[in-house]
Amino acid sequence: MEENKKMKKINIGYLLGYICIPILLVVACTAVAIALDVSGGVAVILVFVPIVLAVAWWSFGGNYIYDKKKEAFEQSLDAQGFVRNQTFNGGNCLVAVDIEHGKIALLFRWNMSQPYIFSAKRIQKIWVDDGRGGAGFMEGSSRVSFLFTVDDIKIRVNTFTSNKRWRMDSDYILTGISKADMMVEILNKAKAKG
């Protein structure tokens, strides 16, 4: 985990493998079933089982691997003497802040193989995005997050997401804004120490 390494949020190889390998497995098994002209139980095994496995992988497999990587990353931070004053998991990114030493640690969901630890001085800008949109009675939000830029790379960490729009005075939105404000304050403290 090098201090000045250029940040990469997405590992294209992992992302393509995550999406394409299950698809290729389903296509290959279906092609074998068609080529061998099988029916009955063998056809079910060759066609439907790979589809079920692919859906299970997309639904649970990636989350399981990411959860295990997060646990290992947090343990390695503790072993290195990184004081985790605040650890926030926004679903797409784990952010750990060491205010005492002015350091930030990041683990991105789509680049789990490359954790980052860097000085908070590298942060250029920190802000909250409440996701406010619409007008009048339609005004609301479906995502609240805090954002910061490091080496001109924008990092967004969600504090609230939903598939529907909530009013701005909703408890969900207000809680998301409160969490985002807290993280901005903590990041600013770490930057001041760094």
Side-chain angles (χ1 to χ4, degrees):
M1 291 182 258
E2 298 168 22
E3 180 79 21
N4 294 317
K5 191 185 298 182
K6 184 82 170 161
M7 212 167 290
K8 211 169 122 179
K9 297 190 289 188
I10 298 174
N11 178 333
I12 298 298
Y14 172 73
L15 182 61
L16 289 176
Y18 178 83
I19 295 168
C20 295
I21 290 174
I23 293 171
L24 293 174
L25 177 66
V26 169
V27 169
C29 288
T30 303
V32 167
I34 291 170
L36 297 178
D37 195 27
V38 295
S39 61
V42 176
V44 168
I45 291 171
L46 283 174
V47 176
F48 294 110
V49 170
I51 291 172
V52 170
L53 291 175
V55 170
W57 167 251
W58 290 323
S59 301
F60 308 109
N63 291 335
Y64 178 78
I65 292 171
Y66 182 54
D67 288 343
K68 291 297 178 190
K69 287 284 191 176
K70 283 189 303 190
E71 287 174 19
F73 181 52
E74 289 175 346
Q75 290 171 356
S76 74
L77 288 175
D78 295 340
Q80 294 174 35
F82 189 97
V83 180
R84 290 188 293 139
N85 299 109
Q86 183 68 37
T87 304
F88 190 87
N89 178 25
N92 59 346
C93 178
L94 176 84
V95 180
V97 183
D98 180 348
I99 296 173
E100 294 174 29
H101 301 106
K103 295 207 177 269
I104 311 292
L106 295 175
L107 182 68
F108 295 104
R109 177 181 188 84
W110 298 112
N111 191 8
M112 291 182 269
S113 62
Q114 185 57 63
Y116 296 95
I117 300 174
F118 56 92
S119 170
K121 286 182 186 177
R122 287 176 58 189
I123 296 177
Q124 298 157 316
K125 183 180 174 187
I126 309 167
W127 72 101
V128 173
D129 178 11
D130 63 7
R132 183 185 304 258
F137 71 93
M138 293 296 290
E139 184 177 55
S141 176
S142 60
R143 175 170 74 175
V144 179
S145 51
F146 65 93
L147 297 91
F148 55 101
T149 56
V150 178
D151 303 331
D152 296 322
I153 296 170
K154 183 168 72 171
I155 299 161
R156 176 185 295 271
V157 183
N158 297 325
T159 58
F160 171 75
T161 57
S162 175
N163 61 353
K164 75 177 229 178
R165 183 181 294 246
W166 293 88
R167 291 173 29 144
M168 294 309 291
D169 60 355
S170 159
D171 286 341
Y172 297 114
I173 298 296
L174 295 175
T175 301
I177 291 171
S178 175
K179 290 177 184 177
D181 285 339
M182 177 193 68
M183 285 305 297
V184 164
E185 183 180 328
I186 289 169
L187 288 169
N188 278 319
K189 283 181 186 174
K191 184 176 180 180
K193 279 276 196 168

